[in-house]
Amino acid sequence: MPVAVTLNDQQLSNKIDYWYYEFPSIFMLDPNRGPDTGGTHVLLKGNNFDPLYRGPVKNYNDTFCRFGALGVVPAKVLNSTKVVCVSPPSFVLREVVVEVTLNNQEWTQDNNVFTYYKPPFLFDVEPLMGPIEGGTRVHVHGSNFEDTGTVRCKFGETIVPGQYENMNELLCVSPPTKKPGYVPFQVSVREDEFSSEEMAQYLYYATPVIESVEPTCGPERGYTHIIIRGKNFIDPGFDEVFCVFNKTIFMNTTVFEPDRIECSSPPVLNDHGVNEKNVRLYDIAITLNKKDLTD
């Protein structure tokens, strides 16, 4: 509908279109609970979230979610029935009503409640990466851990049982996944009460493969420069990549290319220059996370 202004009830200003839309409504929140640290991606399901998608007016910059007295956060419109908002932190309020606006003025009044809980808190996760085949033992250090018998670990969208070690440590085993990449890592000690998905990211990598070693021999004194060729060599940083001799001796490694890394052989002589264990052969493996070794 065109809108204009007049100061004398005769001449009109230029006209600007004013658009009407059907009022939105929220049916449910998914999930409807999250950690008090915030950061939960909340999917609002309803209708009329994108009523002007066919018109020239785009009101996405005026679309927000309100988490009760906690305030307003930006909303991302996915389509006419779905909107995503990220929950703000709340260390006092345990329940808030979530509403949405499409014009930063009129709000829905559907009274959908979002509940906050006190989650496990993560200080350190070791290692924070592993092969796509899974099976990596991941040690989680933090607080608010309890032996509830329902410890769970979440790698992306996959939830697996976890193990309570003590009040500051949990143990998880990574599940397999289809492709390399980062996924959110979370833990819970009660059903559906996971730590914030923004606390940790777990890296899945394609398992490295050794195809050749050059040279294949060297003197007992060690420190022979070795070039290893293969595939899927990555450098995640933090001194995680090693050449591993005899599954026990870790030597510093430099990743030059995805198909080439270099390291040095370990010495087999003791302080007196004697090979007292009569070592003649070591197998060589690679680890990208100080835990999982190549075959």
Side-chain angles (χ1 to χ4, degrees):
M1 175 178 292
V3 177
V5 176
T6 179
L7 301 180
N8 61 3
D9 202 22
Q10 291 186 36
Q11 285 80 23
L12 301 179
S13 67
N14 60 306
K15 297 178 181 180
I16 297 178
D17 288 334
Y18 179 84
W19 292 80
Y20 288 91
Y21 57 76
E22 293 184 66
F23 204 72
S25 59
I26 304 172
F27 300 154
M28 65 176 295
L29 309 178
D30 183 22
N32 63 359
R33 55 207 317 268
D36 59 10
T37 50
T40 301
H41 288 72
V42 183
L43 179 64
L44 282 62
K45 298 181 181 180
N47 60 20
N48 298 327
F49 292 147
D50 196 10
L52 302 177
Y53 74 99
R54 291 182 178 177
V57 176
K58 302 301 180 185
N59 61 319
Y60 300 140
N61 290 338
D62 290 322
T63 302
F64 296 92
C65 291
R66 183 173 63 199
F67 284 73
L70 300 176
V72 173
V73 297
K76 181 179 180 180
V77 178
L78 302 182
N79 53 47
S80 63
T81 62
K82 295 179 181 179
V83 167
V84 172
C85 300
V86 178
S87 65
S90 176
F91 300 108
V92 177
L93 299 177
R94 284 293 168 249
E95 291 186 347
V96 294
V97 173
V98 178
E99 305 292 358
V100 69
T101 178
L102 304 185
N103 65 356
N104 199 19
Q105 192 170 134
E106 279 89 20
W107 295 84
T108 55
Q109 297 180 1
D110 297 311
N111 296 315
N112 288 274
V113 175
F114 184 82
T115 303
Y116 285 95
Y117 58 80
K118 193 172 186 61
F121 190 82
L122 309 187
F123 297 145
D124 184 46
V125 180
E126 177 63 33
L128 252 181
M129 64 192 76
I132 58 175
E133 288 81 2
T136 301
R137 292 169 62 87
V138 179
H139 294 268
V140 184
H141 301 274
S143 61
N144 299 334
F145 297 165
E146 298 179 46
D147 189 6
T148 60
T150 58
V151 174
R152 297 291 182 268
C153 307
K154 189 175 183 181
F155 293 78
E157 296 301 317
T158 303
I159 299 175
V160 295
Q163 180 176 313
Y164 177 86
E165 298 289 292
N166 57 58
M167 62 185 299
N168 296 118
E169 183 178 358
L170 304 176
L171 175 64
C172 305
V173 178
S174 65
T177 191
K178 293 183 179 179
K179 60 182 181 180
Y182 285 95
V183 297
F185 175 76
Q186 302 166 268
V187 297
S188 72
V189 295
R190 292 184 178 83
E191 187 175 0
D192 294 331
E193 294 191 359
F194 283 95
S195 56
S196 172
E197 61 187 42
E198 296 184 345
M199 277 192 173
Q201 294 282 313
Y202 185 86
L203 173 61
Y204 278 105
Y205 56 75
T207 302
V209 176
I210 297 176
E211 296 176 342
S212 67
V213 177
E214 181 183 349
T216 57
C217 59
E220 295 176 316
R221 66 188 181 190
Y223 300 107
T224 299
H225 186 74
I226 297 175
I227 300 175
I228 299 177
R229 299 188 185 275
K231 59 184 179 181
N232 302 329
F233 301 155
I234 65 170
D235 184 3
F238 308 108
D239 297 325
E240 300 284 347
V241 183
F242 291 89
C243 291
V244 185
F245 293 78
N246 202 37
K247 296 183 174 61
T248 57
I249 305 172
F250 288 69
M251 300 296 289
N252 289 327
T253 302
T254 302
V255 179
F256 286 94
E257 301 289 345
D259 61 355
R260 178 171 68 95
I261 63 176
E262 300 183 12
C263 59
S264 298
S265 63
V268 296
L269 303 178
N270 62 19
D271 293 339
H272 302 288
V274 177
N275 185 354
E276 59 183 349
K277 295 183 179 179
N278 197 30
V279 176
R280 289 290 174 260
L281 175 69
Y282 275 158
D283 59 78
I284 303 178
I286 294 171
T287 179
L288 302 184
N289 64 357
K290 292 195 290 190
K291 296 283 185 180
D292 301 290
L293 307 182
T294 55
D295 295 331

